Amino acid sequence: MNQKYQSVKGTKDLLPAETRKWQFIENRIRTIMHHFGYDEIRTPIFEETSLFARSIGEETDIVGKEMYSFPDKGNTSLTLRPEMTASVVRAYIQHHLGEQSSVTKLFYIAPMFRQEKPQAGRLRQFNQFGMESIGQSNALCDVEIISLAAEIYRSFGIEYELKINSVGDSQCRPKYREALQKFLRSVYDTLSPESQKRCETNVLRVLDSKDERDQEATMNAPSIIDFLCADCKSHFDLVIQSLDAVGIRYVLEHRLVRGLDYYTKTAFEFISNNLGAQDALGGGGRYDNLIEELGGDPMPAVGYAAGIERLAIVLEKKQFAFSHESTFLYIVGLDDESREFAFQKALELRRNGITTEIDFAHRSLKAQMREANKLQSRFVVIIGDEEMKKQTAVVKTMASGEQFYVEFPNLLSYFDSTK
Ligand code: HAM
């Protein structure tokens, strides 16, 4: 017996029943992105490894443990993108996108790759929708991004909790990091081994450890909010005030630090209590230093990205009613001549935008009617030798069972007008 293959661990086939739902989701996301003035960008799925290492940060889980990296034939290390912000910034700099307007607003819907331990809501190839607003430090840009994410969830009727924080900037964060390190030294023995390591490498991440030992030990840790410099503080206040003004509810979460190093000032996450352990619908924030760090002119920016699988899980749980275009018309041919005619007619109708299906298996009238039913076809056109002689088809409305006749030359105009 020949070997049968399975999809690779942590990857998933999307079969037709699901792709229909995904197309619905993606179309809606695209429409809302356009309403907010965001245009789509598509970048290659791999980049030079150092692009991600430098932007996401050497000491992060993503870069340290999760990247799919490989040398190409010229021995350059390449990596399947674990996220898009770095790629978007690379493209923004490379193509001088900033020269075209004072703010560059881009969105993407694309697959990402992280070699994590697969579990519900966590895959090795997963899909994100995301958006980046590059060029302005205005707090309203942060609020526009948050409002856009909120609008996408609202449009699907998804409930969420928005957690928001400021992680400071290169002026104030070092002071906070020092204070936190000092505090953690005093509770060092009670921390998990992972967090003990992080005290040296990526101390802020100790705060969002899910380990109970760490949560207890850091209960009285200093809060970043008390360390923010005047600029970060006023930016954060403005974001909060504007969220209030547009009626978006949030929870201040001063332990929220995010798992990527490029953030400055605003950091936020949309959480769903329908997701289990992997409860983040998505996350984002400001990254005012990243463009300069990747060789561009200094340029502030803010963005957000979210898992589409997680959105789909929540929609499935709440039994969201996906509407999709089902088959409109099924043409039944009863003998060779009428089947040939059905095939030609189907092509003509399809070319005119009418979703039409026919039988290829030479099945009986009954079997073809069953198939039309399964496809939820609205109409069935029946053609046999009698109909061929009269050049008139029997048309059946599936919902009511009503039957009537339409002459062959009038089929297109009839269905075009009932579309
Ligand atoms: P992130 O928090 O790493 O941020 O990922 C954003 C979202 O992608 C997560 O909240 C989750 O919904 C989804 N996600 C991440 N990993 C997986 C996985 N293994 N399986 C399924 N879903 C996953 C970023 O990627 C940043 N680039 C967001 C951003 C954009 N910040 C500024 N602009």
Side-chain angles (χ1 to χ4, degrees), residues 139 166 168-173 175 224-239 241 265:
S166 173
D169 63 7
S170 49
Q171 232 198 4
C172 52
R173 192 164 36 202
K175 285 183 203 131
I224 181 126
I225 219 70
D226 299 324
F227 286 77
L228 294 182
C229 60
D231 184 29
C232 288
K233 176 88 177 59
S234 72
H235 185 88
F236 192 56
D237 289 346
L238 270 173
V239 170
Q241 282 161 23
K265 297 184 174 162

XYZ file of all heavy atoms in Angstrom, residues 139 166 168-173 175 224-239 241 265:
209
model
N -2.758 60.772 18.915
C -3.441 59.714 19.676
C -4.698 59.225 18.949
O -5.144 58.099 19.150
C -3.806 60.221 21.067
N -0.080 51.520 28.620
C 1.025 52.186 27.943
C 2.298 51.499 28.398
O 2.466 51.239 29.598
C 1.087 53.669 28.313
O 2.266 54.222 27.752
N 5.240 52.841 27.747
C 6.272 53.865 27.805
C 7.128 53.913 26.545
O 6.787 53.308 25.523
N 8.231 54.628 26.643
C 9.124 54.712 25.479
C 10.574 54.588 25.931
O 10.842 54.271 27.092
C 8.874 56.009 24.701
C 9.181 57.250 25.525
O 9.726 57.102 26.661
O 8.888 58.360 25.062
N 11.505 54.893 25.027
C 12.915 54.674 25.373
C 13.392 55.627 26.469
O 14.450 55.444 27.058
C 13.792 54.815 24.122
O 13.449 55.996 23.448
N 12.569 56.666 26.746
C 12.941 57.577 27.826
C 12.561 57.002 29.184
O 13.372 56.955 30.106
C 12.198 58.889 27.610
C 13.119 60.052 27.644
C 12.328 61.335 27.873
O 11.109 61.356 28.079
N 13.036 62.420 27.842
N 11.301 56.585 29.309
C 10.827 56.186 30.640
C 10.877 54.685 30.914
O 10.973 54.273 32.071
C 9.419 56.719 30.896
S 8.227 56.340 29.600
N 10.841 53.864 29.875
C 10.781 52.422 30.142
C 12.022 51.881 30.848
O 11.899 51.037 31.737
C 10.484 51.638 28.876
C 10.124 50.192 29.207
C 9.473 49.478 28.078
N 10.036 49.892 26.820
C 9.440 49.771 25.650
N 8.244 49.245 25.589
N 10.011 50.171 24.542
N 13.764 53.139 33.123
C 13.644 53.387 34.575
C 12.660 52.395 35.195
O 12.868 51.882 36.285
C 13.165 54.821 34.837
C 14.264 55.830 34.604
C 13.797 57.241 34.934
C 14.673 58.227 34.157
N 13.917 59.233 33.438
N 3.822 50.319 35.643
C 4.468 51.171 34.618
C 3.840 52.555 34.570
O 4.510 53.551 34.291
C 4.415 50.494 33.227
C 5.105 51.348 32.155
C 2.991 50.243 32.758
C 6.145 50.694 31.383
N 2.557 52.607 34.873
C 1.835 53.864 34.732
C 2.443 54.960 35.631
O 2.409 56.135 35.317
C 0.316 53.646 34.987
C -0.495 54.468 34.031
C -0.093 53.816 36.396
C -0.431 53.986 32.609
N 3.044 54.540 36.772
C 3.662 55.514 37.677
C 5.019 55.985 37.166
O 5.642 56.861 37.764
C 3.836 54.894 39.074
C 2.488 54.497 39.656
O 1.517 55.233 39.411
O 2.409 53.425 40.313
N 5.508 55.370 36.121
C 6.847 55.712 35.629
C 6.826 56.445 34.292
O 7.856 56.839 33.774
C 7.683 54.425 35.474
C 8.131 53.858 36.788
C 7.256 53.149 37.592
C 9.438 54.058 37.237
C 7.658 52.632 38.812
C 9.851 53.544 38.456
C 8.961 52.823 39.248
N 5.632 56.593 33.714
C 5.572 57.194 32.372
C 6.099 58.626 32.372
O 5.809 59.402 33.291
C 4.122 57.202 31.856
C 3.467 55.848 31.590
C 2.045 56.044 31.043
C 4.295 55.019 30.606
N 6.847 58.986 31.336
C 7.301 60.367 31.194
C 6.116 61.230 30.762
O 5.062 60.703 30.382
C 8.448 60.449 30.184
S 7.980 59.870 28.551
N 6.288 62.548 30.793
C 5.161 63.459 30.522
C 4.556 63.187 29.148
O 3.324 63.162 28.988
C 5.641 64.902 30.621
N 5.414 62.947 28.152
C 4.932 62.738 26.786
C 4.065 61.463 26.700
O 2.955 61.475 26.152
C 6.162 62.632 25.853
C 5.756 62.512 24.404
O 4.686 63.043 24.049
O 6.496 61.877 23.626
N 4.579 60.366 27.286
C 3.830 59.101 27.244
C 2.539 59.219 28.040
O 1.504 58.687 27.646
C 4.673 57.956 27.806
S 6.013 57.481 26.707
N 2.634 59.915 29.168
C 1.443 60.049 30.028
C 0.349 60.829 29.297
O -0.808 60.412 29.280
C 1.873 60.772 31.326
C 0.767 61.086 32.304
C 0.560 59.899 33.252
C -0.472 60.157 34.317
N -1.804 60.483 33.838
N 0.731 61.948 28.671
C -0.316 62.753 28.029
C -0.868 62.014 26.804
O -2.062 62.104 26.511
C 0.175 64.155 27.677
O 1.056 64.089 26.593
N -0.020 61.272 26.112
C -0.512 60.484 24.971
C -1.538 59.453 25.449
O -2.623 59.314 24.867
C 0.652 59.775 24.263
C 0.236 59.039 23.022
N 0.189 59.623 21.782
C -0.192 57.758 22.833
C -0.243 58.745 20.892
N -0.480 57.598 21.511
N -1.189 58.765 26.530
C -2.090 57.730 27.055
C -3.420 58.352 27.494
O -4.499 57.838 27.185
C -1.415 56.993 28.219
C -2.142 55.750 28.630
C -2.412 54.756 27.711
C -2.558 55.566 29.939
C -3.089 53.588 28.083
C -3.236 54.404 30.321
C -3.498 53.425 29.389
N -3.326 59.501 28.195
C -4.563 60.173 28.642
C -5.447 60.527 27.458
O -6.669 60.373 27.498
C -4.219 61.447 29.435
C -3.626 61.110 30.797
O -3.739 59.930 31.207
O -3.016 61.997 31.423
N -4.815 61.010 26.380
C -5.583 61.391 25.187
C -6.270 60.190 24.548
O -7.423 60.280 24.109
C -4.645 62.030 24.150
C -4.486 63.533 24.245
C -3.401 64.004 23.276
C -5.822 64.214 23.919
N -5.546 59.070 24.496
C -6.129 57.848 23.918
C -7.369 57.461 24.719
O -8.449 57.205 24.166
C -5.103 56.685 23.889
C -5.777 55.364 23.515
C -3.972 56.992 22.913
N -9.208 59.316 26.779
C -10.311 60.298 26.636
C -11.041 60.100 25.309
O -12.263 60.180 25.240
C -9.757 61.729 26.671
C -9.428 62.226 28.061
C -8.481 63.427 28.007
O -8.407 64.125 27.002
N -7.743 63.637 29.084
N 4.626 53.324 24.003
C 3.336 53.942 24.401
C 2.184 52.924 24.398
O 2.266 51.910 25.058
C 3.034 55.149 23.513
C 4.092 56.245 23.688
C 3.769 57.484 22.900
C 4.778 58.564 23.228
N 4.797 59.639 22.234
